[in-house]
Amino acid sequence: MNRLKTSLSLNLLAYYGKWLVLACLIAVLAGSASAFFLFSLEQATSWRIQHAWLIWLLPLAGLAVGWVYERVGQSVSAGNNLLIEEIHDPKKVVPLRMAPLVLGGTVISHLFGASVGREGTAVQMGAALSDQLTHVFRLGREDRRILLMAGMSAGFSSVFGTPLAGAVFGMEVLAIGRMRYNALFPCLIAAIVADQVGLIWGVQHTHYVVEYVVSLDSWSMLAVLIAGVLFGLIGMLFAMLTHQLSAWMKKSIKYAPMRPFWGGLVVAIAVWALDAYQYIGLGVPEIVRSFHEPMQPWDFLGKLGFTVLSLGSGFKGGEVTPLFYIGATLGNALAPLLHMPFSMMTGLGFVAVFAGAANVPIACTLMAMELFGAELGPLAAIACVAAYVFSGHAGIYHAQRVGHRKFKLRRPV
């Protein structure tokens, strides 16, 4: 019996020792890549703001990125969906070229004014770089699944500065209603260390302030529940419109590089005609502003429209930061209607629309506490869970599977 216990203890120690080393390696790779990406993105955004005329080159930028992907990037063009599919059904190591392609494509998209995010880039770089360790350490199928999840967690954590949310995101995003807890330790270590690696490189994340959180009572919970339902419906609308536009573009325009060309042309004309420069790029200044003052009630629709156009036509980046913008400005618009504080509703919308669109309510609840403080946790959980339930079973990642359905409707007798 003692020998058996000793053997089990040694095996457990070896297992966790292996994943401690691998997770730290993943974190260094993903955290460093995210730091370089964030610095590049900052420079590109600054240059675009100083030279507003660059928006007219967006169609050519889309054509160029589309042509590069057509020539050398078809195997990695599925992006996050490719990673999710590889975790569900491991086949072959993700090509390393995914990292530089998505990095370059996203920076160019931001430089010329597409309305895209950054999470997709960080997650893809983290997973692609970590997957290269598969051959180095001769890992099997199950270990490779965990490796990819840890890479996704590290990328998400390091780009937003939210290690707990990042750790859970890498497990929760794969399937609705189900998580792979065997990856918890590697994802947690990779997310925490990747965030620290980014800080060592000098990354400075945006600081958001929720100035006042109301106490929990019947009205505050009901108000947040109502808002959460609306957040979920908007998240569902965003996912549906993006997928539908992408499918229509693929059907109507057979040559892939021309899709972002025409999409970029529509975005450029619309930005000029509507003077809508606040809706392109990440929109972080507008998000920060929404925590402190009333915004235009249609701002969330403006950002939604420009992001759907950009992503649906094939520009590279991510969905998350635009969803933060959409949720923050929607929460800001709902605050006076529900008699709730602007900053609190802005913070709840910030996380809840993403929770509904990506089907990750736990990760988003943790993100709310990491970004805005633990005091917001209970109300954030209500908003995120409501958004998750009312967003249906579709989401921004079509490779996401349904582990357990959110609800089961009775068939009529």
Side-chain angles (χ1 to χ4, degrees):
M1 183 63 73
N2 289 334
R3 288 183 178 179
L4 179 61
K5 288 182 178 179
T6 301
S7 177
L8 289 173
S9 297
L10 290 174
N11 288 336
L12 193 62
L13 185 64
Y15 177 83
Y16 281 102
K18 176 185 77 173
W19 280 112
L20 179 63
V21 172
L22 287 174
C24 288
L25 287 174
I26 291 168
V28 171
L29 293 172
S32 299
S34 290
F36 179 76
F37 168 55
L38 290 174
F39 293 141
S40 302
L41 197 56
E42 183 179 359
Q43 293 298 316
T45 300
S46 177
W47 185 262
R48 188 194 73 240
I49 292 173
Q50 295 172 24
H51 304 85
W53 55 267
L54 285 172
I55 188 69
W56 293 110
L57 297 180
L58 183 61
L60 295 178
L63 178 64
V65 172
W67 182 82
V68 170
Y69 265 85
E70 180 76 7
R71 294 297 300 269
V72 298
Q74 290 193 36
S75 62
V76 296
S77 61
N80 287 350
N81 290 296
L82 171 63
L83 304 178
I84 295 172
E85 288 288 1
E86 281 295 325
I87 294 171
H88 286 309
D89 186 19
K91 293 178 180 177
K92 60 180 181 179
V93 172
V94 176
L96 181 60
R97 61 180 173 272
M98 171 182 268
L101 282 174
V102 73
L103 170 65
T106 304
V107 172
I108 290 173
S109 296
H110 280 281
L111 175 63
F112 293 98
S115 178
V116 294
R118 53 188 174 179
E119 125 284 339
T121 305
V123 167
Q124 289 171 50
M125 289 193 301
L129 291 170
S130 65
D131 206 17
Q132 308 312 307
L133 300 176
T134 298
H135 291 320
V136 176
F137 293 96
R138 299 180 180 179
L139 301 178
R141 285 168 57 92
E142 191 58 35
D143 282 348
R144 183 167 171 254
R145 286 192 175 101
I146 298 175
L147 195 76
L148 284 169
M149 283 187 273
M152 293 175 70
S153 292
F156 190 96
S157 165
S158 55
V159 82
F160 293 124
T162 54
L164 296 182
V168 174
F169 174 83
M171 300 181 293
E172 191 178 21
V173 74
L174 305 176
I176 295 173
R178 185 180 64 202
M179 286 201 289
R180 295 176 179 268
Y181 286 101
N182 61 331
L184 181 58
F185 177 76
C187 286
L188 182 63
I189 297 300
I192 292 174
V193 177
D195 179 47
Q196 293 300 308
V197 168
L199 295 177
I200 291 172
W201 281 114
V203 170
Q204 295 182 348
H205 298 289
T206 305
H207 183 55
Y208 303 101
V209 178
V210 172
E211 297 170 349
Y212 178 68
V213 177
V214 299
S215 59
L216 280 173
D217 56 33
S218 57
W219 171 245
S220 65
M221 289 189 289
L222 178 59
V224 169
L225 181 62
I226 293 170
V229 172
L230 295 174
F231 293 147
L233 293 175
I234 291 298
M236 179 175 64
L237 177 66
F238 175 87
M240 289 175 56
L241 290 177
T242 303
H243 292 322
Q244 288 174 3
L245 178 60
S246 177
W248 181 82
M249 293 286 280
K250 289 177 181 177
K251 182 179 178 181
S252 303
I253 304 172
K254 299 302 181 182
Y255 186 54
M258 290 303 296
R259 296 169 198 154
F261 173 85
W262 290 114
L265 184 61
V266 173
V267 169
I269 293 173
V271 168
W272 170 76
L274 301 173
D275 192 24
Y277 290 91
Q278 71 271 28
Y279 299 135
I280 61 176
L282 287 176
V284 171
E286 296 297 303
I287 298 175
V288 172
R289 191 160 71 88
S290 68
F291 277 85
H292 304 291
E293 60 185 80
M295 305 289 285
Q296 297 295 340
W298 56 80
D299 277 341
F300 76 96
L301 289 174
K303 186 62 174 178
L304 187 150
F306 279 100
T307 307
V308 167
L309 274 172
S310 298
L311 292 174
S313 59
F315 282 94
K316 300 303 176 182
E319 301 89 348
V320 177
T321 305
L323 285 169
F324 290 163
Y325 187 124
I326 294 166
T329 50
L330 176 57
N332 183 285
L334 291 175
L337 301 178
L338 296 172
H339 304 287
M340 291 284 121
F342 279 109
S343 63
M344 188 191 81
M345 292 303 297
T346 297
L348 293 178
F350 184 105
V351 293
V353 171
F354 173 45
N359 296 301
V360 286
I362 300 175
C364 287
T365 300
L366 291 171
M367 173 176 274
M369 292 189 285
E370 288 182 295
L371 291 178
F372 313 130
E375 187 181 5
L376 192 62
L379 291 175
I382 293 172
C384 290
V385 170
Y388 165 77
V389 171
F390 280 86
S391 65
H393 291 92
I396 54 177
Y397 308 120
H398 60 73
Q400 192 177 54
R401 299 183 181 180
V402 179
H404 296 284
R405 299 189 69 83
K406 299 178 185 181
F407 47 80
K408 186 176 181 180
L409 298 177
R410 290 185 177 182
R411 294 182 179 178
V413 179

